[in-house]
Amino acid sequence: MQIYFSPEFLKEDAQVLNIVDDKNNAVGYMAFLMQEKKMYVYGQLEEEGVFQDFKDLVKPYLDGLSKIKPDLEVYSYLAVGGKKVEIDTESDSNG
């Protein structure tokens, strides 16, 4: 199953993205909040079978957001099927 981001809410310092499958069914979400030198990332995906696809979708997106402000500290909690996902970003990350 292919998964994609579908923007729900976009502002300069906050984003909410639905994660949809190839039939446009919502299968999860991601939220980004930025405050000065910190970025908080939260996300949940229900299907364990797309674990690697989720990581492959999220990592370049986080790396891109981190390039906007290179000194950002990234705090994240991402889960697939209730299991925490660790994603290393190009910048230093916590969480």
Side-chain angles (χ1 to χ4, degrees):
M1 167 173 60
Q2 293 292 316
I3 56 174
Y4 308 93
F5 286 135
S6 174
E8 185 72 23
F9 173 83
L10 297 173
K11 288 183 77 173
E12 184 178 334
D13 59 353
Q15 298 180 24
V16 175
L17 304 171
N18 284 327
I19 300 172
V20 298
D21 64 12
D22 49 1
K23 295 179 181 142
N24 209 30
N25 297 317
V27 295
Y29 75 94
M30 289 197 59
F32 301 89
L33 303 167
M34 287 187 234
Q35 184 179 30
E36 296 178 19
K37 296 184 184 248
K38 295 180 182 177
M39 178 169 58
Y40 301 91
V41 182
Y42 303 98
Q44 171 68 36
L45 188 68
E46 37 183 72
E47 291 284 327
E48 284 187 49
V50 291
F51 180 87
Q52 192 60 46
D53 292 333
F54 183 61
K55 286 181 76 168
D56 292 346
L57 181 66
V58 171
K59 184 179 176 356
Y61 197 83
L62 287 177
D63 287 344
L65 288 175
S66 295
K67 287 178 185 175
I68 294 170
K69 294 182 179 179
D71 58 345
L72 272 179
E73 291 182 62
V74 179
Y75 298 90
S76 65
Y77 185 83
L78 304 172
V80 175
K83 295 178 183 173
K84 186 174 181 180
V85 176
E86 295 291 339
I87 296 178
D88 296 322
T89 59
E90 289 179 358
S91 66
D92 293 334
S93 63
N94 297 304

